[in-house]
Amino acid sequence: MRVVLAEDQYLLRTGLTRLLTAYGFEVAAAVSTGPELLRAMTELRPDVSLVDVRLPPTFTDEGLRAALAARARVPGLPVLVLSQYVETLYARELLADAAGGIGYLLKDRVFSDDEFVDALHRIARGGTAMDPEVIARLVSGGSAGGPPQPLDRLTPRECEVLTLMAEGRSNAAIAERLFLSASAVTKHIASIFDKIGLAASGEDNRRVLAVLTYLSGRHDS
């Protein structure tokens, strides 16, 4: 699996490169600036890009903006944002195009190699991997009032299930976390798909679309 890595700190960039290589990834490019990232993503078209938010030259939001620009040129390029910061504006824009795998993890909350590598594989397959803190930040800015949204029809339990789906958890992991049976989780997910209007299609595709609806739409409700 080919990876483009964007990280401005030399030691962290080198460490991530070694970690990825040890787990069988091919690091197609390891860059340190926004313009380099945009060029690498569009020219190399990796299976997944690992992107820091704040890159030179201004150290504000170059990483996210480069990822957005790359996905505008090559729709569906999978992206995992790995950062110390939650940039909600660009994160919502990244999620809103509903194309390809998307993830957003916080550096100080990644606690195991296996979890990190699993997130990369999941995103490369078109899935999601969202840190709960990122989810909380994205949905905390909603304002009261306005027309009803599809998510408003979900029960509290269905919202819990969808939140765990947004973190990238499997049905079995959701069942374990919420102390539910596997069949109960399956029924909740089917109800979520129905209530937010997702027609029958591939299961993985509908999971991603449900998560994107949650993350890009909840803050508008």
Side-chain angles (χ1 to χ4, degrees), residues 28-115:
V31 303
S32 61
T33 70
E36 289 176 317
L37 172 60
L38 175 58
R39 184 164 56 251
M41 289 182 68
T42 54
E43 293 180 359
L44 299 176
R45 303 192 179 194
D47 297 301
V48 62
S49 294
L50 183 58
V51 176
D52 191 9
V53 169
R54 300 186 178 183
L55 297 174
T58 67
F59 294 97
T60 54
D61 50 24
E62 281 85 356
L64 272 176
R65 287 194 287 111
L68 284 166
R71 283 166 61 91
R73 297 181 190 182
V74 186
L77 280 174
V79 173
L80 172 56
V81 178
L82 181 65
S83 179
Q84 293 174 279
Y85 312 98
V86 182
E87 297 288 350
T88 55
L89 177 62
Y90 287 112
R92 285 170 177 162
E93 188 174 347
L94 187 65
L95 292 160
D97 69 10
I102 290 294
Y104 201 131
L105 300 180
L106 298 179
K107 290 178 179 177
D108 61 354
R109 288 167 57 87
V110 176
F111 301 118
S112 77
D113 294 354
D114 290 340
E115 178 183 343

Side-chain angles (χ1 to χ4, degrees), residues 87-169:
E87 297 288 350
T88 55
L89 177 62
Y90 287 112
R92 285 170 177 162
E93 188 174 347
L94 187 65
L95 292 160
D97 69 10
I102 290 294
Y104 201 131
L105 300 180
L106 298 179
K107 290 178 179 177
D108 61 354
R109 288 167 57 87
V110 176
F111 301 118
S112 77
D113 294 354
D114 290 340
E115 178 183 343
F116 177 61
V117 169
D118 178 68
L120 283 169
H121 280 290
R122 190 161 61 246
I123 292 162
R125 294 193 301 265
T128 59
M130 305 295 296
D131 187 280
E133 177 63 25
V134 175
I135 295 171
R137 289 285 299 277
L138 287 173
V139 304
S140 65
S143 58
Q149 301 293 317
L151 294 172
D152 295 334
R153 296 195 287 271
L154 302 185
T155 66
R157 178 62 86 186
E158 288 166 351
C159 286
E160 290 179 323
V161 170
L162 186 50
T163 298
L164 292 172
M165 287 171 61
E167 293 177 23
R169 298 186 184 277

Side-chain angles (χ1 to χ4, degrees), residues 8-39:
D8 66 291
Q9 297 182 32
Y10 170 76
L11 289 178
L12 184 53
R13 185 171 65 251
T14 301
L16 285 169
T17 299
R18 291 176 177 171
L19 172 65
L20 293 169
T21 301
Y23 276 86
F25 294 92
E26 175 192 344
V27 180
V31 303
S32 61
T33 70
E36 289 176 317
L37 172 60
L38 175 58
R39 184 164 56 251

